[in-house]
Amino acid sequence: MENEELLIEESEDLEETEDLEQNEETEDLEETEVIDYSSILQEMNERLANIEAKTIDYSEPINGLLANIYFLDFVAFTVFVFLLVCLVIKFFKIFF
């Protein structure tokens, strides 16, 4: 009789410990599933703002060069015409 009571008590203890373990596992799973995305997004936005603040905007100087490049066009055209005239003069010196 005592053996049966001991066996029943042991089986009850085992069931209780199994229930406790299952409850702990489900609690752990529930805790790990909760992710705070708002803090992650906020940190990403802060990093992007820092990167944006530290980048240099090269578009203004390039636009300035492109707006004033007509001056270089005049210089290049005159040099081209001068070289062309020199080439024609050499050609006429050689053959005539």
Side-chain angles (χ1 to χ4, degrees):
M1 209 52 155
E2 283 182 25
N3 287 339
E4 289 177 8
E5 288 176 8
L6 284 175
L7 285 175
I8 292 172
E9 284 179 12
E10 286 180 11
S11 65
E12 288 175 358
D13 288 341
L14 285 175
E15 287 176 4
E16 286 178 9
T17 55
E18 287 176 359
D19 288 341
L20 285 174
E21 287 176 359
Q22 287 177 352
N23 287 341
E24 288 176 2
E25 288 177 4
T26 54
E27 286 176 3
D28 288 343
L29 288 175
E30 290 173 0
E31 288 177 6
T32 55
E33 289 178 4
V34 176
I35 299 173
D36 186 19
Y37 290 107
S38 62
S39 64
I40 295 172
L41 289 174
Q42 185 177 6
E43 185 177 344
M44 288 174 64
N45 284 335
E46 287 175 5
R47 289 184 181 185
L48 285 173
N50 287 339
I51 290 171
E52 206 172 285
K54 292 180 181 178
T55 54
I56 299 171
D57 184 23
Y58 290 108
S59 63
E60 288 181 24
I62 291 173
N63 287 337
L65 284 175
L66 290 175
N68 294 322
I69 202 152
Y70 66 90
F71 176 73
L72 295 176
D73 289 342
F74 290 133
V75 172
F77 181 72
T78 46
V79 168
F80 175 72
V81 168
F82 177 74
L83 291 175
L84 205 61
V85 168
C86 289
L87 187 70
V88 168
I89 290 172
K90 281 190 175 189
F91 175 77
F92 277 112
K93 277 186 175 179
I94 292 172
F95 290 105
F96 295 111

